[in-house]
Amino acid sequence: MRVLLLGPFEMRDDDGEPIDIPGARLRALLTRLALDPGRVVPVEALIEAVWGEEPPAGSGNALQSLVSRARRLVGAAAIESHPAGYRLAVDPGDVDAVRFERLVAEGGLAALREAERLWRGPAQLSPAGAGVRLAELRLSAAEDRLALELAAGAEVLSELRELAAAHPLRERLQGLLIQALYRSGRQAEALEAYERTRRTLADELGVDPSDELAEIHLAILRHERRQAPSRLRAQVTTFVGRQRELGQLATALRASRLVTVVGPGGAGKTRLAVETAAHLSDSADAQAPDGVWLVELAAVAEAGDVPHAVLAAIGARDNGWLESDATGSVAEALAGKRALVILDNCEHVVEAAAALADRLLGACPDLRILATSRESLAIPGESLYPIPALEEAAAARLFADRAVALRPGFALDETNARTVAEICRRLDGMPLAIELAAARMRALTAEQIAARLDDRFRLLSGGSRTALPQHRTLEAVVDWSWEPLSEPERDLAMRLAALPGGATLDLFPAVDTLAGLVDKSLVELSGERYRMQETVRAYGMARLAESGRDLEVRGEHARHFLRLTEQADSELRGPGQLHWLDRLQAEHDNLLAALRYAADAGEAELGVRLAAGLWWFWRLQGRYTEGIHWSRNVLDLPGELPGELHAVRQVLRSAARGLELGRDGEPAPIPDGGAFVLLVAPVLLQDRATAESRLPRLTGWERALTLCFLALEVEGEGSVAEAFALLREAREILEPLGERWAMSVTLRMLAYHYVLRGETDAAVPALTRAQRLAAELGVPPDVTSIEAELAVAHARLGELDRARALASSALAGLERMHPNADFAVVHLAVAEAMLRSGDRAAFRDQAGAAAAVSGQSWVRARIACMEAVAALLDEDTAGAHERVTSAIALAGQDLSALATAVRLSAALERDPAGAAYLLGVATALRGVDERGGVDELVLRAARHGQDYERGAALTRQAAIALVTAGPGTPP
């Protein structure tokens, strides 16, 4: 549900459809609740919001009545009662006013633009103070946005004219207008606007312009007399994808006199710094009216040459007699100037650059310094700006922009967009690497470039002849950062390179060394994990291989992660399940690397122990097939394994191949043992005899899982009551354990049995809890499947609106799944919900979708049953006969579909005695008188009497033989 307050009041349901809220008082109530979403609003505050300062007598009762009316409109669950007041159960992000405030607090040009787009008109809020506050915040946000856009060079003059005219006393708006006029070449208009503002402030408020406004005016007057010098290189390529960063860096330079743009080689630090300086060079910005200079330090070989490079860049002479006086000469040349100096590529002379910057900032109070480096200058007053990787869309635009210059006619389209995105992603969004890749478009296609990125250093070696040596090839970019490293830093970098998933601090006790790699932009800290960009990691792996220590280091890592998986094994089936799932998920790439090491090194024991430790994690994550894929290489390694591990390997091999243990199709006995894989092997391999024999010795989680497996087996044989008892025991065992997956599975199975027993109202809470547990585990396929089952349950209870909402949500969930995934069960469930809702078109769509994703006969049998019901509802008896006959032929071993087809035969039978007999036959097939199926929509035959009992007394085999004996419906 969404609440829209920034404009005319609106509420929309989960499908985005408007909810009609008649009456000003109802809207005032819901507005006040929405202003504090998810929090209890006191009764007094609600009364004041609805009736103002003069509430009616008995206002408490009146409020209760109003809340009741609101609940009827938006749903009873949406407004919760509490002792102190009421709470609107809505996510704060679904209230536009709350989202607006969050975006404004976040700042940044993109966030402010998004915040502005949320407004649809003036906010009509109660209490009125809330509207005034939001309107003021909207205006302040507009000022922030316009300031950033103005700094980025955007055309905002017309918008500023309109806003400034509407708010003549807002000095910041007037200042922005004056700057925009000046930058547009309207110098006289800018001065005139300042004078108009000065008079308005004096006449209306009796005050002079603020210092900030007066400073803008003075800057314009200064610029009339002279143009600030600039030594920035003219750019020959377009500046792509950094508009947000441009605004952020400009803001940082206004707030700090020393800003260092830090990041790895090739990240675009120099270009961003130059573009920012170009925007700030206009004296109307009052940042650098006396000059902007670029000092290129990349070619400076000696630390002592740094101040001389600055002198050369600013065009000053060295007035000192001693070499150490060069810094003093720089300070003298810049003294009293409001200027900006860019110290570019400081990393190889970082100490000298830091000493120079510290001296200049102290001697020249109006000077600003913008540095670029792979590590910080680390002096007082420094503000760091870590340059981010290019966002996916911007990276693709950069590739296309550079590629089209070399391959005219190239353009991003649906045929190549995915490949270009892959190239940019694998190159870490690094602008230089993307440009080097685009340069290969002279000879290769995008697909050919992507296919060769595993050998990226050889591929990306054809850069510009005029570029700095360290920017001509991708390998040179990383060499430039690698060479200055100390031996401990190189050793640690190689060790970290062997970890594709990065690592937490506990894996590397050498904190100072690790911090040094972070400072030099070779390692990034993301949350609690230390990671390398893929390019840097590939370089480190190459150096590790050259050292001859790659197997040694990878082996150490693999044994560390083996200890982690074995520690997590039992925890994954207890109350700490979510914590350990998150932990293993964070390490998943490293765990796969450990498996690859075991395969490469031929360490069968290590590999089998890793695969066994990860098996249940993969199952809980819905990645079992992926896990088996990664395990195959280690499961097939030669060599004998000790005792229990031999059996574990056999079990996992059988699971991977879809085979049972033993020869000639006969299952081999599962040896006793403590390993989890062995405990659940009978379930994994569907070995019922072994499962039954071991059940008395099992306890806890393993017993519960085995009970669920046996429940499936006995239910399939028709012992429905026994299966229900087994499931109830499993639930009792699981309740105190705090585990989620097995409990979710058990609850789903119990819900199915509740429906069989005609207790559909008991199925809803079971499924609701099962879905919550699956959501906590983070397994979207399970969540979606359960949602579809809930849709059917609500439809069977006649709660059709709820059923349709759940069905719609389940289908939306399917859209996020793999496009080739088999979710026939979801489509079947939604098809039934739509059939019960009377939506024939949606029913046919979902039945068709189920058949399209799965050609199995049981799926087609169930579709045929539902089509027969639809035909009967439409009084198409002939069509119903045809579909029932088809369902019986297709059902095979699916006794549920077969029994449904027989009950539909009963619905078609005109003779009451014959209909009752067929119902009895269906009960014999199923082992229970199923009362929740789709056939209930058309079934009217009696479930009692001698004829019914005669059919129910048949053995299952006799019933199957009777039903499948020949064409047509059973007699």
Side-chain angles (χ1 to χ4, degrees):
M1 184 169 64
R2 295 180 59 212
V3 187
L4 307 181
L5 305 177
L6 303 182
F9 177 90
E10 284 188 33
M11 291 190 76
R12 296 183 178 273
D13 61 20
D14 292 340
D15 296 325
E17 294 298 320
I19 301 173
D20 183 29
I21 308 294
R25 287 176 180 168
L26 276 174
R27 291 193 290 272
L29 169 69
L30 291 167
T31 296
R32 183 61 186 86
L33 288 169
L35 287 171
D36 282 299
R39 293 195 293 267
V40 177
V41 181
V43 168
E44 295 77 10
L46 292 172
I47 291 174
E48 182 180 353
V50 174
W51 288 283
E53 297 181 357
E54 298 182 2
S59 54
N61 292 333
L63 180 63
Q64 286 183 349
S65 175
L66 201 62
V67 168
S68 296
R69 289 175 57 199
R71 282 173 169 160
R72 286 195 293 272
L73 294 168
V74 302
I79 305 177
E80 299 175 356
S81 298
H82 290 265
Y86 296 91
R87 170 182 176 272
L88 186 64
V90 64
D91 188 284
D94 289 331
V95 179
D96 60 355
V98 176
R99 178 162 175 74
F100 169 74
E101 294 194 60
R102 288 180 175 180
L103 288 167
V104 171
E106 177 184 335
L109 192 51
L112 291 170
R113 283 172 174 167
E114 184 179 350
E116 180 63 28
R117 285 194 293 268
L118 293 174
W119 286 81
R120 297 166 295 111
Q124 302 165 6
L125 300 182
S126 177
V132 172
R133 181 181 64 81
L134 284 170
E136 173 62 25
L137 186 58
R138 180 187 186 184
L139 188 54
S140 297
E143 290 175 335
D144 291 342
R145 172 180 59 79
L146 288 164
L148 291 174
E149 290 180 326
L150 188 61
E155 175 53 56
V156 293
L157 180 57
S158 59
E159 185 177 359
L160 276 168
R161 282 188 191 275
E162 184 177 344
L163 273 177
H167 304 278
L169 298 177
R170 290 187 74 93
E171 289 190 72
R172 189 182 182 199
L173 266 180
Q174 303 306 321
L176 289 171
L177 173 62
I178 292 166
Q179 292 179 66
L181 287 166
Y182 181 74
R183 291 187 182 190
S184 299
R186 297 173 171 86
Q187 190 170 314
E189 282 187 61
L191 293 172
E192 183 181 322
Y194 172 80
E195 184 59 28
R196 183 173 60 251
T197 302
R198 186 192 66 76
R199 288 196 305 268
T200 301
L201 291 171
D203 293 344
E204 298 290 335
L205 303 177
V207 298
D208 293 327
S210 65
D211 292 342
E212 290 80 4
L213 199 57
E215 188 176 351
I216 293 171
H217 178 235
L218 181 60
I220 293 174
L221 293 175
R222 283 176 175 170
H223 199 265
E224 280 185 318
R225 293 191 294 272
R226 57 186 172 85
Q227 181 71 33
S230 175
R231 290 288 299 275
L232 298 178
R233 179 191 296 270
Q235 301 300 321
V236 295
T237 58
T238 54
F239 183 60
V240 178
R242 291 286 195 195
Q243 293 304 316
R244 180 178 62 181
E245 290 87 342
L246 198 67
Q248 291 172 341
L249 187 54
T251 300
L253 264 175
R254 292 188 186 92
S256 176
R257 293 177 56 216
L258 170 61
V259 177
T260 303
V261 182
V262 293
K269 301 183 294 294
T270 299
R271 184 64 185 269
L272 177 62
V274 170
E275 293 288 341
T276 303
H279 285 295
L280 294 179
S281 63
D282 190 333
S283 65
D285 195 77
Q287 300 300 309
D290 296 329
V292 177
W293 292 280
L294 172 65
V295 183
E296 297 173 314
L297 297 177
V300 174
E302 301 293 335
D305 292 337
V306 170
H308 295 285
V310 180
L311 283 170
I314 66 177
R317 296 182 58 185
D318 184 357
N319 297 324
W321 289 96
L322 302 174
E323 184 177 348
S324 59
D325 289 340
T327 300
S329 298
V330 176
E332 182 179 340
L334 294 174
K337 286 186 169 62
R338 300 177 65 197
L340 172 65
V341 171
I342 304 173
L343 299 177
D344 187 38
N345 286 309
C346 297
E347 52 272 348
H348 64 301
V349 286
V350 67
E351 292 187 5
L356 174 71
D358 189 53
R359 174 95 175 266
L360 292 180
L361 291 170
C364 309
D366 293 325
L367 177 69
R368 278 178 161 73
I369 295 177
L370 175 58
T372 73
S373 178
R374 301 187 190 189
E375 61 180 302
S376 67
L377 303 188
I379 62 176
E382 180 183 32
S383 175
L384 293 182
Y385 182 81
I387 188 169
L390 278 175
E391 294 180 352
E392 182 178 318
R397 289 201 308 274
L398 176 63
F399 182 95
D401 182 87
R402 301 303 188 254
V404 75
L406 303 167
R407 194 175 189 138
F410 175 81
L412 277 178
D413 56 35
E414 60 184 14
T415 65
N416 59 33
R418 182 170 295 184
T419 304
V420 171
E422 179 192 352
I423 293 171
C424 297
R425 176 183 56 77
R426 293 182 62 191
L427 293 176
D428 309 300
M430 180 191 296
L432 177 61
I434 292 168
E435 291 182 331
L436 290 171
R440 286 300 187 193
M441 290 291 288
R442 285 173 290 192
L444 302 174
T445 65
E447 290 75 15
Q448 291 169 332
I449 293 171
R452 288 165 171 76
L453 282 181
D454 286 341
D455 193 11
R456 64 186 64 197
F457 294 115
R458 182 177 300 177
L459 175 70
L460 306 182
S461 57
S464 168
R465 292 188 177 93
T466 62
L468 294 169
Q470 65 267 28
H471 283 174
R472 291 180 187 173
T473 70
L474 188 61
E475 188 165 22
V477 171
V478 191
D479 277 338
W480 181 256
S481 297
W482 191 270
E483 289 304 320
L485 297 181
S486 65
E487 282 304 315
E489 286 175 332
R490 289 187 185 184
D491 179 74
L492 183 58
M494 289 187 293
R495 288 178 174 276
L496 189 55
L499 294 166
T504 51
L505 191 59
D506 57 346
L507 199 59
F508 298 108
V511 176
D512 291 342
T513 306
L514 184 60
L517 293 176
V518 175
D519 289 341
K520 294 175 175 65
S521 301
L522 283 167
V523 174
E524 299 172 347
L525 178 59
S526 175
E528 296 181 352
R529 300 190 72 78
Y530 295 86
R531 300 180 182 274
M532 283 179 162
Q533 288 188 345
E534 190 57 32
T535 296
V536 177
R537 200 180 76 78
Y539 183 96
M541 285 297 292
R543 301 290 80 78
L544 182 62
E546 287 176 2
S547 73
R549 297 170 51 221
D550 53 333
L551 283 179
E552 172 195 341
V553 170
R554 292 170 62 201
E556 291 175 5
H557 290 339
R559 280 176 272 280
H560 167 81
F561 290 110
L562 173 63
R563 291 190 293 273
L564 177 68
T565 59
E566 293 185 337
Q567 180 185 1
D569 182 52
S570 61
E571 301 289 349
L572 287 174
R573 299 184 297 283
Q577 188 176 52
L578 294 183
H579 166 75
W580 283 96
L581 277 174
D582 289 343
R583 188 164 178 185
L584 290 179
Q585 178 58 41
E587 301 290 359
H588 193 244
D589 288 343
N590 294 330
L591 295 166
L592 295 183
L595 278 170
R596 283 193 291 271
Y597 162 77
D600 293 345
E603 294 195 23
E605 180 175 343
L606 172 64
V608 171
R609 288 173 65 185
L610 276 166
L614 288 169
W615 179 78
W616 190 242
F617 163 72
W618 283 324
R619 178 61 188 83
L620 289 175
Q621 291 283 288
R623 302 162 73 166
Y624 183 59
T625 303
E626 176 187 351
I628 289 298
H629 166 77
W630 287 110
S631 300
R632 280 198 175 98
N633 289 337
V634 295
L635 295 177
D636 292 333
L637 288 173
E640 292 298 318
L641 295 179
E644 189 176 271
L645 276 181
H646 173 74
V648 170
R649 179 164 65 180
Q650 291 296 93
V651 171
L652 292 178
R653 278 177 174 174
S654 297
R657 295 168 184 160
L659 301 174
E660 292 185 326
L661 287 178
R663 299 177 181 175
D664 301 323
E666 292 298 324
I670 304 296
D672 290 334
F676 171 65
V677 169
L678 296 182
L679 285 171
V680 300
V683 176
L684 174 64
L685 302 178
Q686 298 184 9
D687 181 356
R688 178 177 175 181
T690 303
E692 288 178 332
S693 68
R694 300 182 67 192
L695 184 63
R697 302 196 300 277
L698 296 178
T699 60
W701 192 95
E702 289 78 14
R703 180 178 176 84
L705 183 67
T706 305
L707 288 169
C708 288
F709 164 62
L710 293 175
L712 277 176
E713 293 290 307
V714 299
E715 187 265 325
E717 296 173 352
S719 302
V720 176
E722 182 184 352
F724 186 62
L726 292 172
L727 291 171
R728 293 182 65 182
E729 181 185 349
R731 182 177 62 184
E732 291 173 4
I733 292 171
L734 292 169
E735 283 289 2
L737 298 184
E739 191 272 354
R740 291 164 178 80
W741 179 85
M743 179 60 85
S744 179
V745 169
T746 304
L747 289 168
R748 289 178 72 178
M749 294 175 69
L750 278 169
Y752 171 71
H753 277 265
Y754 285 134
V755 173
L756 284 181
R757 296 158 61 90
E759 301 172 9
T760 306
D761 55 338
V764 169
L767 287 172
T768 301
R769 185 182 176 195
Q771 186 186 34
R772 176 176 58 79
L773 294 173
E776 290 175 2
L777 282 172
V779 187
D782 287 356
V783 173
T784 296
S785 297
I786 299 171
E787 200 159 37
E789 292 166 17
L790 270 169
V792 174
H794 281 285
R796 288 173 175 174
L797 291 171
E799 298 167 358
L800 299 183
D801 288 344
R802 181 62 176 153
R804 281 190 287 266
L806 286 164
S808 176
S809 180
L811 293 177
L814 282 190
E815 293 178 1
R816 297 187 287 271
M817 305 297 173
H818 190 282
N820 296 324
D822 180 356
F823 278 97
V825 290
V826 174
H827 290 297
L828 286 172
V830 175
E832 180 179 338
M834 294 299 97
L835 178 58
R836 289 177 176 273
S837 299
D839 190 338
R840 293 286 197 279
F843 158 68
R844 286 191 292 271
D845 287 345
Q846 292 307 306
V853 300
S854 176
Q856 296 185 66
S857 60
W858 70 267
V859 172
R860 289 183 289 146
R862 296 191 182 194
I863 292 172
C865 288
M866 284 191 276
E867 289 173 340
V869 171
L872 281 168
L873 291 171
D874 293 338
E875 299 182 357
D876 179 8
T877 305
H881 269 293
E882 178 187 348
R883 302 316 297 148
V884 169
T885 301
S886 176
I888 292 172
L890 291 167
Q893 296 300 309
D894 184 2
L895 297 179
S896 176
L898 195 59
T900 300
V902 174
R903 285 193 296 273
L904 287 170
S905 296
L908 287 164
E909 179 61 54
R910 295 181 179 180
D911 175 24
Y917 174 71
L918 288 174
L919 281 183
V921 173
T923 299
L925 284 169
R926 202 68 187 89
V928 67
D929 180 12
E930 185 175 351
R931 294 175 177 269
V934 69
D935 51 287
E936 291 289 326
L937 290 171
V938 293
L939 195 57
R940 297 291 182 268
R943 285 186 169 95
H944 55 77
Q946 292 181 351
D947 296 302
Y948 173 83
E949 296 299 336
R950 183 164 57 88
L954 293 172
T955 66
R956 168 167 292 177
Q957 293 306 316
I960 293 174
L962 176 69
V963 174
T964 60
T969 57

